[in-house]
Amino acid sequence: MIGNLPSDPHPWSERREAGLANTTMRQTLGLVTRRFSVGKRRVFAEDPEQEAARRLGVEAKRQAIANLDSLLDQFASKVRSNGGTALMAGTAHEAVEAVRSIAATHQVKVVVKSKSMLTEEIQLNRGLEAAGLTVLETDLGEYIIQRAHETPSHILAPAAHKNRQQIRELFEDDAKTAGLAPPVSDAASTLTQYARERLRREFLQADMGVTGGNFGVAETGTVVLVTNEGNADLVTTLPRVLVTVMGVEKLVARWEDLTLLIQQPAMNGIGQRLSAYTTLISGPAASVAEGPAAWYVVLVDNGRQRLRHTVYEDVLSCIRCGACLNVCPVFRQVGGHAYGSVYSGPIGVVETPLLTNFGVGAELPSVACTMCHACKEACPMEIDLPGHIIRLRQEKVRRHLNAASLTASYHWWSRIWATPRGYRWSLRWARRLQGLYQRQGRLVRAPGIARGWFQTRDMPPVAQETFIEWWQRHRGGLDRERRS
Amino acid sequence: MSVDLKSLWRETFRARWEAAGGHYYQAADREALGSLLAQAWGELVTGQTLSGRVVYWVPPAVEDWPWETWLHRAGAQDLFKWDATADMRSRAAACDVGLTGALWFAAETGTVAIAQGPTMGLLPTVLPPVHLIVVDAASVVPTVQEGLKQLQAQGSLPPMLKLISGPSMTADIEGTLVVGVHGPGKVGVIVYGVGDGG
Amino acid sequence: MATVRLFVTCLVDVFRPEVGRAAVTVLERHGDRVECPVEQTCCGQFAFNAGYRQEAALLAKHFVEVFEGDTTPIVALSGSCAAMVVHHYPELLREAVIEERGSVKEAEGWAARAMAVGREVVEFSQWLGQGSPDSALGTVGRQRLALHQGCHMRRILEETRQPKELLEQQGFEVVELEDSDQCCGFGGTYSMTEWRVSTALADAKLKAFQDAQAGGAAYLVSSDLGCLLHLAGRLRRLGAQDPTRHVAEVLAGEEDRP
């Protein structure tokens, strides 16, 4: 089944320009992505045995994808025997409907959420609000962008595009409607304190908590959540109903597999050995003292299983650590919004068109990758991101999704340069014509697909004597002598 | 052999836990625990504008120790013992200090494991701005992996298990690190029984 | 005395032939007998990275035909082009031939031929670095150089020692750029179709080089001319001198040539 992802109506060029123009975002992303990457190198250097765990973890994830059908059954029945309820949702729509009907069954009015990319993917908030529910994001970054009616710009730093002054203004408006004292300064600690107090009230009134899931363990029916703020811990233990919405690909077979993987998101994504809070849920609460009295797990496919048994299958092992975003040069420049998809950075470039069969983000493989391979080096799950980006570019050629001028250029250029005669002929013509495009001995413009280069850069002209021509003139005879 | 190993693990735990922003105390024996609690209170609670209300539960094995006396002596005003038969939400939310036990603590990551259970709750770990954890010195494990394996080997998993590796924190505003977002900004681990050969 | 075949690369051949001449000088000082198969054109990496598989395969087949049937080392004047031949050719040709001809046998044949050629390919500074550390190239390096390690040299060839060690052995002082592992933004076709992002990345790299210059670095040196043309082109457009030098030029002692 082909997945359904939300898409940004603005074209790439507008999204890119908005990203390049947002200096706050570029500064913040520059700071956090480098801090995360440096931290990652440090923790792996200090605990080299984690490298062995990572490798075994990759194997466990690959195995789980191979056996996904039986793992899904095993997980669901284990959750049931632990006292919870597991539901399968094939599409984004089905997933939202499942959560809505749970909310209706339990007469829920207020929902608190911890950060979940999947709920962004299925646009759960919109679906629940349409049913008359109040939905509050509780991750600080998510809360900020919810107030601004925006979407995350980095999976680990969702509000990286906002500066302190902007956040203070958002909170001042919020304080008016909530009847609270506004934050007294724009210091990060003051703004954080405001959000803590503001959300505390909502937490205590909430009937239902919604979380994502970082891992699911089939053997034990356990869901694992990692956060640093502790918000997921309030979401899971305060409301009487807890709903975990999780992609089917998050399952691993055994508890032991989890032990290999549990540190990987934090180690690779933010350079911590483990997130400050890791929560493992295996059933509803044991007493009435705290929540949840009822626990549901909604397992969402939305285009994922379609990738099994294809060359792209390894994409399903993504643990959403964000390591590929942190090292991606394009991501650092344009930020997450420019991708126009819930999933940004290299994994978003690959996953968005794959899940939607090029319905969303078809432009991404071409526009958002310099082919530098930093993501491949960074990915703890050894996903062949640059290889997939090339494959998706090839797929675009097959589907005629590129500009006709680009395709025509490559068609003729490759045919002409595939013979030495054609190569030399093309250079002779270039020497004849390049006078039209020169200033002070430099090429300053050019026709065709090369035009973009000359928007911002010069180029030396085609040499009057190429190296090979020079070689033939000076060494050609000598070479032949030696070879014979 | 195992004695040395465990004290090494505790040292590693201490280094990692403190590096993450946590506080660490260890008591040689039961008698020292009371004064350590007072010390922790002085460092983590006193000075903040807190009312000194405490919600707490301790592991069954040490339930008969004089926790109330110690806490009062440390500076606690009101004490709410965790009651699994009543709704504890608003009561825990009104407290400034949560005191809980723990299953085990792990060296490599500086992590404390706390389970939900019939007499143990998780709200005290996250609602109050200060969280104090008392844990048996003998329960130290080298890694989270090891702790999780032991847990599984015991047969049944708790409905909810929490692994805490430092105070609640965020860098969501311009990448600036701030502690105490939704959970406690101050976390202290008090290890007891260090002198028992644990 | 070893015989080597020069894999010139199209960018050196067409836009900076002096790099090729410098490479010949250095290789001969190194004691190598240099040959240059004059039928070579381009490895096809531009087309491959842009997703034009059949087009890339045309150029790859030509490259294989020019260089196969001989086991003398093929010394490449670009880390990126070396990576293309060594690491991408076999799969590229296998898939392209299956797609075009439907024959697994033919595809495997081409893949095997590509692999045989790939086994001989070595990047210029890697080749020179294989010798004993004291193998004099006759270079008297006195300057401080800022090194830009191209992404494919770094991550596909996984070469982190060269050309740094080689340059240091010749007396140069090599400094790393801030954020040295971040791409310069070239990316082949990407630099044309996505020139806005590409240029932003070039500017970030040039900012780092500016800092290195303030610290005394005289030139920006790389094993990859693609990156250098991109960065030099940007500087020239901004009205600055071209401080970029291929590692061969520096080793030949020709870095001062304007």
Side-chain angles (χ1 to χ4, degrees):
Chain A
M1 209 171 319
I2 293 171
N4 194 358
L5 259 63
S7 66
D8 189 322
H10 302 93
W12 157 254
S13 56
E14 282 177 30
R15 302 190 316 251
R16 175 195 63 211
E17 291 308 311
L20 288 172
N22 190 335
T23 47
T24 298
M25 180 206 69
R26 288 172 72 183
Q27 260 163 23
T28 306
L29 283 184
L31 178 75
V32 299
T33 57
R34 284 169 182 83
R35 180 196 294 158
F36 290 159
S37 302
V38 168
K40 173 186 172 177
R41 275 198 290 274
R42 195 193 63 234
V43 291
F44 272 99
E46 286 174 2
D47 293 324
E49 66 275 24
Q50 279 301 321
E51 175 58 15
R54 182 195 64 76
R55 278 202 219 119
L56 292 168
V58 173
E59 220 24 67
K61 285 290 280 185
R62 298 286 200 275
Q63 283 290 324
I65 300 302
N67 302 322
L68 194 54
D69 298 320
S70 64
L71 292 188
L72 281 166
D73 289 342
Q74 192 190 2
F75 177 79
S77 79
K78 203 66 204 174
V79 167
R80 278 180 214 119
S81 68
N82 292 351
T85 307
L87 306 164
M88 286 294 305
T91 63
H93 178 75
E94 283 175 29
V96 174
E97 281 310 305
V99 182
R100 275 164 70 148
S101 89
I102 295 165
T105 306
H106 292 275
Q107 289 150 3
V108 168
K109 292 188 185 65
V110 178
V111 178
V112 283
K113 283 183 64 203
S114 68
K115 187 165 66 185
S116 149
M117 298 310 292
L118 179 56
T119 61
E120 299 272 349
E121 173 186 329
I122 63 176
Q123 295 182 284
L124 181 64
N125 291 12
R126 214 172 69 173
L128 295 180
E129 281 162 0
L133 296 161
T134 302
V135 184
L136 274 157
E137 293 290 348
T138 62
D139 173 88
L140 177 60
E142 290 275 352
Y143 180 69
I144 292 166
I145 60 171
Q146 192 188 24
R147 300 268 71 70
H149 308 287
E150 290 173 4
T151 55
S153 55
H154 184 298
I155 59 172
L156 303 171
H161 57 292
K162 290 255 174 277
N163 65 30
R164 288 182 291 142
Q165 292 75 27
Q166 292 168 323
I167 295 167
R168 183 184 185 176
E169 282 162 27
L170 286 170
F171 284 4
E172 280 170 347
D173 289 347
D174 182 65
K176 274 177 218 149
T177 56
L180 284 172
V184 295
S185 82
D186 61 8
S189 56
T190 308
L191 296 170
T192 304
Q193 191 59 30
Y194 172 83
R196 176 187 169 102
E197 281 160 24
R198 167 75 166 92
L199 283 165
R200 214 19 108 73
R201 298 201 322 190
E202 312 295 339
F203 267 124
L204 291 165
Q205 289 163 10
D207 316 288
M208 184 166 102
V210 173
T211 73
N214 293 82
F215 300 103
V217 185
E219 182 181 42
T220 58
T222 303
V223 168
V224 182
L225 287 171
V226 298
T227 74
N228 265 330
E229 295 183 3
N231 58 318
D233 303 84
L234 292 173
V235 170
T236 52
T237 45
L238 278 172
R240 50 197 165 84
V241 184
L242 173 62
V243 182
T244 304
V245 188
M246 190 168 71
V248 292
E249 83 284 10
K250 300 292 183 177
L251 293 191
V252 292
R254 300 167 307 161
W255 184 258
E256 196 188 329
D257 299 336
L258 172 69
T259 67
L260 298 168
L261 289 159
I262 198 163
Q263 288 179 246
Q264 296 301 327
M267 288 193 71
N268 290 284
I270 54 179
Q272 273 174 233
R273 287 189 179 76
L274 196 58
S275 296
Y277 293 93
T278 304
T279 308
L280 296 84
I281 307 160
S282 303
S287 77
V288 296
E290 60 187 1
W295 178 45
Y296 296 83
V297 184
V298 180
L299 292 153
V300 184
D301 181 53
N302 202 30
R304 285 166 171 74
Q305 297 203 61
R306 220 181 114 248
L307 302 183
R308 290 179 64 206
H309 314 301
T310 71
V311 67
Y312 300 108
E313 190 174 62
D314 62 1
V315 167
L316 296 174
S317 2
C318 175
I319 56 171
R320 306 271 178 250
C321 68
C324 63
L325 282 68
N326 291 338
V327 298
C328 177
V330 177
F331 180 84
R332 286 176 177 175
Q333 296 302 318
V334 300
H337 287 154
Y339 293 76
S341 165
V342 174
Y343 301 109
S344 61
I347 188 69
V349 167
V350 170
E351 207 169 355
T352 306
L354 278 178
L355 287 177
T356 61
N357 192 27
F358 287 85
V360 180
E363 75 284 8
L364 292 176
S366 313
V367 301
C369 174
T370 68
M371 208 39 73
C372 78
H373 283 241
C375 52
K376 184 169 183 172
E377 190 179 57
C379 177
M381 292 297 112
E382 300 176 14
I383 301 169
D384 184 14
L385 291 161
H388 291 332
I389 292 174
I390 295 248
R391 285 178 200 106
L392 290 167
R393 288 176 178 179
Q394 291 170 346
E395 186 61 31
K396 288 184 69 175
V397 172
R398 265 194 296 280
R399 295 184 186 208
H400 307 288
L401 294 175
N402 286 346
S405 58
L406 185 67
T407 300
S409 299
Y410 272 113
H411 178 90
W412 291 114
W413 171 75
S414 63
R415 277 158 184 80
I416 293 167
W417 274 28
T419 68
R421 259 184 69 201
Y423 181 71
R424 280 166 211 161
W425 172 85
S426 74
L427 296 179
R428 278 198 301 277
W429 272 102
R431 283 193 199 108
R432 254 177 244 172
L433 293 174
Q434 66 184 353
L436 297 169
Y437 304 105
Q438 281 186 53
R439 193 188 310 140
Q440 294 168 339
R442 313 278 308 166
L443 286 175
V444 293
R445 48 195 187 93
I449 62 163
R451 192 179 292 134
W453 174 280
F454 293 98
Q455 297 283 345
T456 51
R457 287 148 294 189
D458 291 354
M459 188 74 182
V462 170
Q464 283 311 311
E465 183 175 56
T466 65
F467 173 79
I468 289 174
E469 287 163 348
W470 172 85
W471 179 272
Q472 285 179 306
R473 195 156 62 82
H474 290 271
R475 306 288 190 97
L478 195 61
D479 188 28
R480 263 193 303 278
E481 242 165 65
R482 281 178 180 167
R483 300 290 291 167
S484 57
Chain B
M1 161 75 188
S2 76
V3 175
D4 285 340
L5 218 45
K6 285 198 170 182
S7 76
L8 269 177
W9 293 340
R10 281 195 294 271
E11 279 313 304
T12 307
F13 171 85
R14 175 185 198 150
R16 299 269 156 101
W17 175 255
E18 287 180 344
H23 295 255
Y24 180 89
Y25 308 88
Q26 60 179 33
D29 51 30
R30 181 177 144 167
E31 279 58 49
L33 199 49
S35 55
L36 265 183
L37 259 177
Q39 189 193 337
W41 188 281
E43 290 175 14
L44 305 185
V45 186
T46 311
Q48 299 196 66
T49 50
L50 301 175
S51 61
R53 229 173 276 151
V54 181
V55 56
Y56 77 100
W57 58 263
V58 290
V62 295
E63 218 161 4
D64 55 344
W65 293 4
W67 296 99
E68 298 209 358
T69 314
W70 289 336
L71 282 166
H72 277 304
R73 220 181 284 154
Q77 299 298 314
D78 304 311
L79 297 179
F80 295 107
K81 192 158 191 305
W82 187 258
D83 177 1
T85 63
D87 187 335
M88 295 297 288
R89 290 174 175 88
S90 48
R91 209 174 302 171
C95 288
D96 301 316
V97 178
L99 175 89
T100 69
L103 293 179
W104 43 262
F105 59 116
E108 184 205 54
T109 50
T111 301
V112 183
I114 304 176
Q116 198 181 50
T119 59
M120 308 178 283
L122 294 176
L123 286 178
T125 70
V126 71
L127 278 173
V130 179
H131 180 207
L132 298 174
I133 304 156
V134 289
V135 63
D136 186 346
S139 69
V140 67
V141 291
T143 61
V144 163
Q145 283 73 18
E146 185 56 36
L148 290 176
K149 271 180 207 157
Q150 287 180 10
L151 194 66
Q152 191 197 26
Q154 284 162 16
S156 73
L157 295 172
M160 207 178 290
L161 176 74
K162 190 180 298 191
L163 307 176
I164 300 176
S165 308
S168 159
M169 61 180 164
T170 186
D172 275 353
I173 298 175
E174 293 187 1
T176 311
L177 280 173
V178 178
V179 296
V181 196
H182 292 291
K186 304 254 185 204
V187 286
V189 164
I190 303 167
V191 177
Y192 59 81
V194 174
D196 301 347
Chain C
M1 184 190 261
T3 301
V4 299
R5 291 175 291 164
L6 208 56
F7 170 7
V8 183
T9 78
C10 61
L11 291 179
V12 167
D13 188 41
V14 175
F15 295 108
R16 295 266 284 263
E18 61 273 25
V19 170
R21 297 199 293 271
V24 173
T25 305
V26 174
L27 288 167
E28 287 178 346
R29 272 194 225 150
H30 183 247
D32 300 319
R33 191 167 67 189
V34 183
E35 296 178 358
C36 175
V38 296
E39 309 279 276
Q40 63 182 294
T41 61
C42 161
C43 69
Q45 188 181 185
F46 269 70
F48 177 73
N49 282 353
Y52 289 90
R53 179 155 70 191
Q54 289 303 334
E55 288 76 2
L58 283 176
L59 292 157
K61 283 180 179 172
H62 175 67
F63 185 95
V64 169
E65 283 168 343
V66 169
F67 281 95
E68 72 186 340
D70 190 338
T71 53
T72 34
I74 301 166
V75 174
L77 297 187
S78 153
S80 190
C81 301
M84 174 71 192
V85 175
V86 176
H87 293 276
H88 293 317
Y89 266 18
E91 193 186 336
L92 163 68
L93 285 173
R94 185 181 293 121
E95 290 181 351
V97 173
I98 286 179
E99 184 179 56
E100 193 202 2
R101 313 268 303 165
S103 159
V104 175
K105 195 164 162 248
E106 256 183 81
E108 289 305 329
W110 270 107
R113 288 166 71 181
M115 258 183 277
V117 170
R119 271 194 289 274
E120 308 306 331
V121 171
V122 56
E123 186 274 333
F124 177 70
S125 65
Q126 289 183 316
W127 168 254
L128 295 174
Q130 281 171 2
S132 60
D134 51 78
S135 68
L137 295 176
T139 317
V140 189
R142 291 200 183 84
Q143 275 149 323
R144 187 176 292 179
L145 307 173
L147 180 66
H148 170 65
Q149 191 83 334
C151 295
H152 292 177
M153 179 113 168
R154 180 191 294 272
R155 302 200 181 94
I156 304 182
L157 295 184
E158 297 183 59
E159 179 59 65
T160 49
R161 284 171 46 228
Q162 302 300 354
K164 187 171 190 284
E165 280 185 11
L166 192 61
L167 290 166
E168 286 173 344
Q169 280 159 13
Q170 308 308 315
F172 292 102
E173 188 189 341
V174 180
V175 295
E176 285 251 337
L177 295 177
E178 170 90 19
D179 262 336
S180 61
D181 58 355
Q182 180 170 290
C183 176
C184 73
F186 172 55
T189 318
Y190 192 79
S191 61
M192 306 175 197
T193 52
E194 277 304 319
W195 58 272
R196 286 281 290 149
V197 177
S198 174
T199 304
L201 287 167
D203 288 347
K205 188 62 70 188
L206 289 170
K207 166 82 179 54
F209 176 62
Q210 211 171 35
D211 295 343
Q213 267 183 319
Y219 296 104
L220 181 56
V221 175
S222 177
S223 288
D224 272 281
L225 192 60
C227 311
L228 292 183
L229 286 171
H230 173 59
L231 296 168
R234 179 63 184 151
L235 278 174
R236 294 302 286 249
R237 176 60 60 96
L238 295 170
Q241 286 296 307
D242 175 4
T244 68
R245 297 292 182 269
H246 190 275
V247 66
E249 294 175 283
V250 173
L251 290 174
E254 292 172 7
E255 69 272 18
D256 293 331
R257 193 170 56 196

